Amino acid sequence: MEYSVFLTVKGWMGIAFSGRGIRRVVLPCGEPAQVLEDLRPEADWVQKAECEYQDACQRYAAGERETLDFPVDWSWATPFQRQVLELVRQIPYGQKETYGSVAAKLGNPRGARAVGGALARNQVPLVIPCHRVLSTGKLLGGFTSRNGLADKIALLKMEGILEKPKS
């Protein structure tokens, strides 16, 4: 396993990857030490100064309409989590779904909570854009990252899914 910690316009970001693809993504935060804490590199992991995924992540963080269509190392996901996440991965930039609509597409219209549980375990946010899945009505749902819902709101605003406040 290899990993890289790098600077974006939004802060420090981290990615862990194997020969099979991305294993973990840490959203931008204030300090490299915070990224390492969230990335949780194991003793045998190798740190790389740069990685092949870095440029696209930096462009996305800068607000460019970037699709992070990287291969994923699914070794951490259960079959159900993978099924949910592969469906969510198909939600285009700037679009949204609800937990219920994702559950219905999986053939279980009452499975919104199970979908939410799978999304809460997403280790590769942005690659799997779980921030694009919202609760029904005006609720955003949850988001698992260092900054929680603040990260989800920032991503939704950046993609034009939520309105940015007028200056």
Side-chain angles (χ1 to χ4, degrees):
M1 186 71 74
E2 298 175 322
Y3 69 99
S4 182
V5 175
F6 52 91
L7 189 59
T8 73
V9 297
K10 302 285 186 191
W12 291 92
M13 186 171 177
I15 296 179
F17 50 97
S18 72
R20 292 183 279 186
I22 300 284
R23 179 83 159 284
R24 287 188 194 143
V25 173
V26 175
L27 297 178
C29 56
E31 298 293 330
Q34 293 173 319
V35 174
L36 287 172
E37 183 180 315
D38 293 348
L39 200 57
R40 300 180 312 275
E42 297 173 18
D44 61 341
W45 290 17
V46 176
Q47 184 170 10
K48 299 286 188 175
E50 294 184 7
C51 70
E52 62 189 283
Y53 309 110
Q54 185 172 328
D55 289 341
C57 289
Q58 288 171 323
R59 286 191 303 272
Y60 179 88
E64 292 183 32
R65 193 178 182 108
E66 186 73 34
T67 300
L68 303 178
D69 191 25
F70 306 143
V72 174
D73 176 343
W74 292 104
S75 60
W76 53 272
T78 67
F80 177 73
Q81 289 168 342
R82 183 172 178 173
Q83 183 182 22
V84 169
L85 296 171
E86 284 183 334
L87 180 62
V88 168
R89 188 174 196 177
Q90 297 171 30
I91 302 170
Y93 185 102
Q95 302 296 312
K96 65 185 176 197
E97 291 282 344
T98 65
Y99 296 102
S101 68
V102 171
K105 289 178 181 180
L106 292 169
N108 183 2
R110 294 184 176 186
R113 285 187 185 203
V115 166
L119 294 178
R121 290 167 185 78
N122 179 13
Q123 292 190 24
V124 290
L126 303 184
V127 177
I128 308 294
C130 56
H131 62 279
R132 297 178 188 153
V133 182
L134 310 174
S135 293
T136 307
K138 296 186 178 196
L139 301 175
L140 293 175
F143 196 66
T144 306
S145 72
R146 178 172 285 274
N147 298 313
L149 278 179
D151 281 339
K152 184 171 187 169
I153 290 167
L155 291 168
L156 293 170
K157 285 180 179 178
M158 185 178 76
E159 290 190 17
I161 296 169
L162 289 181
E163 286 186 34
K164 295 178 184 173
K166 301 196 192 275
S167 310

